[in-house]
Structures are given as structure tokens and as C-alpha cells.
Amino acid sequence: MKSPSLVRLGLAMVLSLAASPGVLRAQLENRKIQPNDVLVIRVLNEADMTAEKKVSNDGRINYFYIGDVSVAGKSVAEAQDLIRDLLKKDYLVDPQVNIEMRQYALEMVTVLGAVNKPGPVQLPTDRRVDVVELIGMAGDFNRYANKSRIELRRRGKSYPLSYDDLKRITDPAKKFFVEPDDVIEVGESKF
């Protein structure tokens, strides 16, 4: 069993990842386009150039006149500017391009171990999910779960957590939120 101070140290290391609703809204607005996002592209006064495009696995879309355009890793505003500049170069005079994010790519977290529904869990696109809620989304603990032995793995680092410590956090700004591609493993009790 991990000592409470070790659990608190693990929490302290990643509490900076917590965000308030205002911060979340800013993160969504600044979110970079990624493969499998679906974009709606419109050009003012050019109705025949309205198109819904899914970003390919290599981060590209194919758009009227300009062909393949690499948009992954760009914000929506950056992609608008890029497409506007490409259209302006040889095809339209002062095009007004608007891009709307129709659908975000699915973002997943994997939950393993002593939960009722282990496996990938899809994260909602409109809000952040903390570890406590994520365990609920994975069907909650099974009867063999050791709630004091939860491990979060993120980008090559491992953080030991305790469910009881996580439940005590009442300030939303201090909750322990998960990120896409995290792995949460709930340990089993020893009999």
C-alpha cells in the first residue's frame, strides 16, 4: 500500500492539469485540428464552395481548387488563414473563409484492472472528466478492487492515486482530470 504522503505527492505533481470551466472553454477554442476531426468550410458569397471535410489520418483535407491542404496541428483560425491565402493566390479575390468544427475526433482513455467494464472509455468533448467520474464510466469498481491502488500513466510517467483521497477533493479547480491516451489501472485486493 502506498503511503498517504506518496499519494499526495502524486496528486501534487499533476494538480496543475486541473482546469476551471473558463479555462476549458479557452482550451477548446485553441484546440489544434487533428486527424478524424470533421470541419465545415464556407467561403462568403460562394455557396458552391461549402464543404464538410474529415481530416485524414495524415492530417490533410482536399478542398476545391487548392487540393490537399495540411491542417492538422493548426488552430481553426490558422486553418482559415491558410485556406484563404491559398484561394487568394490564384482563384478568388479577397475570399472570406470560415471554418466550423463539426465534430471532434474521438478521444479515449483506457481503464484496466478491477473495474466492471475494463477497456477504452470515450471522453466527452464538451467537458473534462476527473479520475473519479472516469472509474464510474468504466462501470465502477468490481468486488476485487483495491481503491487505494490506482495508477495513472501519462506520457511515460506513472502517478499512484487513492480513490478516497480523490473523493475528498471538493474544489473543482483541484480535481484530478484525465487526458486523452491516459491509462488508469485499478489494482486488486490481495486475499
Side-chain angles (χ1 to χ4, degrees):
M1 182 169 147
K2 306 272 188 216
S3 72
S5 60
L6 183 58
V7 171
R8 280 191 293 277
L9 176 62
L11 283 172
M13 291 170 66
V14 290
L15 277 177
S16 63
L17 300 171
S20 68
V23 171
L24 177 59
R25 203 170 9 266
Q27 287 173 337
L28 288 175
E29 289 171 3
N30 295 323
R31 181 184 177 276
K32 302 295 183 187
I33 296 169
Q34 58 187 319
N36 298 314
D37 283 347
V38 177
L39 310 174
V40 176
I41 305 166
R42 293 183 180 88
V43 178
L44 185 65
N45 297 324
E46 301 288 341
D48 56 329
M49 292 183 69
T50 297
E52 183 172 293
K53 298 290 181 175
K54 184 174 183 179
V55 180
S56 66
N57 287 336
D58 66 353
R60 298 178 167 277
I61 59 167
N62 188 288
Y63 191 66
F64 302 105
Y65 305 120
I66 57 177
D68 284 346
V69 180
S70 182
V71 294
K74 296 180 177 7
S75 69
V76 168
E78 292 168 335
Q80 285 176 172
D81 292 345
L82 174 62
I83 291 172
R84 180 199 64 223
D85 292 345
L86 291 169
L87 287 170
K88 189 175 175 176
K89 187 175 180 181
D90 291 321
Y91 303 101
L92 299 173
V93 177
D94 195 27
Q96 303 298 307
V97 177
N98 180 287
I99 297 178
E100 170 191 330
M101 184 68 75
R102 172 67 46 96
Q103 178 181 341
Y104 293 104
L106 299 180
E107 295 181 320
M108 308 297 279
V109 173
T110 303
V111 183
L112 304 171
V115 292
N116 289 312
K117 293 189 267 181
V121 175
Q122 181 180 334
L123 294 175
T125 58
D126 61 340
R127 62 187 172 82
R128 297 186 80 187
V129 174
D130 69 345
V131 173
V132 172
E133 183 178 359
L134 183 73
I135 289 170
M137 293 168 73
D140 213 347
F141 296 108
N142 68 24
R143 65 184 183 170
Y144 304 109
N146 181 341
K147 295 178 182 181
S148 297
R149 287 189 45 229
I150 300 171
E151 178 183 12
L152 180 135
R153 294 190 293 270
R154 176 179 293 160
R155 294 187 291 276
K157 293 184 180 177
S158 178
Y159 304 96
L161 304 170
S162 164
Y163 186 75
D164 290 335
D165 289 342
L166 293 171
K167 289 286 288 180
R168 282 191 206 97
I169 300 171
T170 57
D171 182 354
K174 294 182 180 177
K175 287 192 178 276
F176 195 93
F177 293 101
V178 296
E179 294 181 1
D181 303 320
D182 281 355
V183 176
I184 309 291
E185 186 162 1
V186 177
E188 290 189 3
S189 298
K190 304 257 189 248
F191 291 104

